[in-house]
Amino acid sequence: MTSMLTRREFLRLGTLTVGGLWAAAHRFPLTAWAAPEVPFRDPPLLDIRRPEPGLVEGTLVAQERWVDLGFRKARLLTYNGSLPGPLLRVRAGDTVRLKLTNNLSEITNLHYHGLHVPPTGRADNVFIHIPPGESFEYEFTLPQEAQTAWYHPHIFRPPAAIQAFAGMVGPIVIEGDLDQAPELQAAEEHVVALKDVAFQGDRPAPHTIDEWGEGKEGDYILVNGRLQPTLRVRRRLLRLRFINMSNARHYRLRLEPAMAFHLIATDGGFIEKPVELEEVVLVPGERADVLIRFDRPGRYRLVNLFYPRGTYLSKPANSLLMTVDVPEGLPVPPSVPPSLRSMQRLAVDTGAPPRKIEFGLFLINGRFMDPSHQMADVETRLGQREVWELWNNHPVDHPFHLHTYHFQILDRNGVPEPFPAWHDTIPFRPNDRIRIAVAFEGFGGKTLFHCHIMEHVAMGMMAVLQVNA
Ligand SMILES: [Cu+2]
């Protein structure tokens, strides 16, 4: 706990830790000491217009605002005044026209993290910069793929890490036909946006020198902008869309008492069939959709376990993220569906040597990013399919993120991936050797790949990928 905490914050934490231990030692009922229960809430929905079928229009305003986080108020950088920013909920195949108005005092822009849309023109073009006081209208057509994704700024200077840490993050849900399947419609569905925060006075704590190296982690992990909320479910089959919107924090999620997660979708959409997991690992930027089938009522705690980031020390924060209250008297939930869709492993001609991508100390293939973005670090052709061999030569985690194109993991450290899944952001542990298969299809242009610790992007751990038509 730092000296930056206000008295109210200290009291709040005290009831959860020191007070709790004291109460336990004296056999007091904990409820007598607990702070009032904070109800879970979903992120606010972005107000959208549908002027014609298949066309969605909406507006995001980047602005500094007072935000009520429940346990305290803070002056944050926001989209439309909320943390997280509003949920953009659209249909696969929709054309999205999203106006971003920049009411900050510095440049900003948007990256649509995880969307397979062009990296050029008015689409997911992170080379566009929007000056203060100006607006820009993004426009792109979504592929026919159900997905959980998110948006955040992607400027290089000033670093997007500062704007994102200060609150500029927001969820995207793309609904597809499979979401309408009765087995999935039987579930109660929520977005769970994980974002850690820290304060200095009323504002987000500024980055220290060390945090530019280690990545900035906050003192509090919030769920949809709330500290340790309780979700009282109406159904015993729950679908949670986890999104790690934290700059640097890696999560290891579990339920206590133990209850299985059934993974149904990764970054790029549904997998073949649900995979039962005790623990969900999420690196910064990564998403996971899970079903949880509560076979009995009770109070289940979603906790975050310690994730060792190599030689970096993770900053302590609340391990209890949220509580799921499953009341008595709800109907017995239906089973988790045995299968979801058919899916192939991406076929790549393995005759050609793989392309080697080496991550070092803030370097990719021995280079810091060229801030002018003029020079391509990797060049390939539209329509090409490649195997990339990712080497992490540094003793810390550097989650790997590729813009524009989803990829499949072939093997990690020689161990074949157990099932095909589409990713855009994956764990990349010290000394890892990971082979991925990627198809540069649909559209070309200049795009990026990088470490998704946002501070490491600012340190130059980003590279330009040029896909020539
Ligand atoms: Cu990194």
Side-chain angles (χ1 to χ4, degrees):
M1 213 173 294
T2 71
S3 58
M4 303 300 181
L5 299 184
T6 66
R7 185 179 148 74
R8 270 182 74 199
E9 286 164 11
F10 184 80
L11 289 175
R12 164 85 203 183
L13 278 186
T15 58
L16 297 171
T17 54
V18 184
L21 288 175
W22 187 88
H26 291 78
R27 300 186 188 283
F28 262 82
L30 272 174
T31 46
W33 287 84
E37 206 166 85
V38 177
F40 174 94
R41 55 159 195 200
D42 285 284
L45 205 55
L46 180 67
D47 203 6
I48 54 170
R49 297 171 298 280
R50 285 190 171 272
E52 54 187 82
L55 178 63
V56 172
E57 292 180 348
T59 300
L60 290 176
V61 181
Q63 55 192 349
E64 190 177 346
R65 278 287 178 276
W66 282 102
V67 179
D68 186 355
L69 301 171
F71 73 110
R72 64 162 295 157
K73 290 188 172 60
R75 190 89 181 144
L76 302 180
L77 301 186
T78 70
Y79 293 110
N80 299 8
S82 69
L83 178 74
L87 168 64
L88 174 63
R89 193 169 185 117
V90 289
R91 293 272 314 165
D94 274 343
T95 294
V96 177
R97 268 189 208 148
L98 195 61
K99 184 167 135 183
L100 175 66
T101 296
N102 180 5
N103 285 348
L104 306 175
S105 56
E106 59 190 26
I107 63 162
T108 191
N109 67 359
L110 278 174
H111 169 45
Y112 302 91
H113 183 126
L115 301 192
H116 179 53
V117 298
T120 51
R122 310 179 75 82
D124 185 26
N125 184 345
V126 296
F127 305 106
I128 289 168
H129 291 164
I130 306 163
E134 293 190 16
S135 294
F136 184 83
E137 194 168 79
Y138 290 93
E139 181 172 335
F140 47 83
T141 298
L142 296 166
Q144 293 294 338
E145 188 73 57
Q147 226 192 318
T148 303
W150 65 300
Y151 57 88
H152 61 79
H154 212 292
I155 48 173
F156 187 61
R157 291 288 182 270
I162 295 176
Q163 294 182 358
F165 190 77
M168 289 171 65
V169 294
I172 301 174
V173 167
I174 302 167
E175 290 171 23
D177 292 339
L178 192 48
D179 293 299
Q180 303 306 319
E183 297 93 325
L184 294 178
Q185 284 292 308
E188 176 177 331
E189 184 192 317
H190 300 283
V191 165
V192 176
L194 300 171
K195 163 90 177 91
D196 54 354
V197 291
F199 305 100
Q200 186 179 68
D202 289 326
R203 287 167 196 272
H207 282 66
T208 64
I209 296 289
D210 285 350
E211 284 168 341
W212 288 111
E214 298 180 358
K216 189 165 177 64
E217 295 183 325
D219 301 315
Y220 305 94
I221 302 166
L222 305 183
V223 170
N224 298 340
R226 287 284 158 103
L227 183 61
Q228 299 175 322
T230 297
L231 170 64
R232 193 176 163 86
V233 295
R234 303 174 307 276
R235 301 185 195 182
R236 273 164 48 185
L237 185 64
L238 195 58
R239 175 178 180 181
L240 299 181
R241 296 174 182 263
F242 290 119
I243 311 177
N244 184 353
M245 297 188 180
S246 310
N247 278 29
R249 191 175 288 279
H250 292 51
Y251 294 90
R252 284 175 57 207
L253 306 174
R254 274 183 190 248
L255 283 166
E256 293 175 350
M259 191 56 71
F261 299 109
H262 300 270
L263 181 73
I264 56 171
T266 53
D267 297 330
F270 286 103
I271 53 178
E272 278 185 302
K273 54 176 194 270
V275 172
E276 195 174 321
L277 300 171
E278 257 176 79
E279 188 174 301
V280 171
V281 171
L282 278 186
V283 301
E286 194 178 9
R287 290 87 66 211
D289 279 27
V290 300
L291 291 176
I292 305 164
R293 185 181 182 277
F294 294 98
D295 52 20
R296 57 191 182 277
R299 284 175 71 85
Y300 298 86
R301 295 176 300 279
L302 178 72
V303 296
N304 179 38
L305 303 183
F306 176 70
Y307 183 109
R309 293 202 284 128
T311 53
Y312 285 158
L313 286 178
S314 213
K315 199 169 181 181
N318 47 299
S319 62
L320 172 65
L321 303 183
M322 65 182 278
T323 302
V324 181
D325 181 10
V326 183
E328 303 273 354
L330 294 179
V332 173
S335 318
V336 168
S339 66
L340 296 162
R341 67 162 172 182
S342 69
M343 209 176 143
Q344 256 96 55
R345 288 187 192 262
L346 186 65
V348 181
D349 170 22
T350 45
R355 194 186 287 278
K356 194 164 151 187
I357 306 289
E358 287 186 87
F359 276 31
L361 180 57
F362 309 137
L363 299 169
I364 295 179
N365 288 354
R367 289 219 293 246
F368 293 109
M369 200 204 63
D370 160 29
S372 73
H373 302 293
Q374 290 310 306
M375 194 173 53
D377 296 273
V378 172
E379 251 185 287
T380 188
R381 276 195 339 274
L382 185 61
Q384 198 81 359
R385 292 181 171 196
E386 296 186 5
V387 173
W388 284 20
E389 198 168 292
L390 311 176
W391 288 39
N392 185 355
N393 296 335
H394 194 222
V396 304
D397 281 70
H398 292 289
F400 174 84
H401 173 47
L402 173 62
H403 288 213
T404 317
Y405 309 95
H406 291 116
F407 56 85
Q408 291 184 0
I409 298 174
L410 299 175
D411 46 60
R412 307 187 207 217
N413 303 313
V415 180
E417 196 67 354
F419 54 91
W422 292 111
H423 299 275
D424 53 62
T425 313
I426 55 170
F428 197 17
R429 313 230 52 210
N431 306 311
D432 262 356
R433 302 282 181 271
I434 302 177
R435 291 195 318 137
I436 62 171
V438 55
F440 299 104
E441 290 169 0
F443 25 75
K446 184 163 68 176
T447 188
L448 295 169
F449 62 94
H450 58 89
C451 167
H452 213 284
I453 291 179
M454 290 214 176
E455 288 73 21
H456 290 184
V457 173
M459 298 298 281
M461 223 172 162
M462 183 153 76
V464 171
L465 164 67
Q466 178 71 43
V467 180
N468 297 310

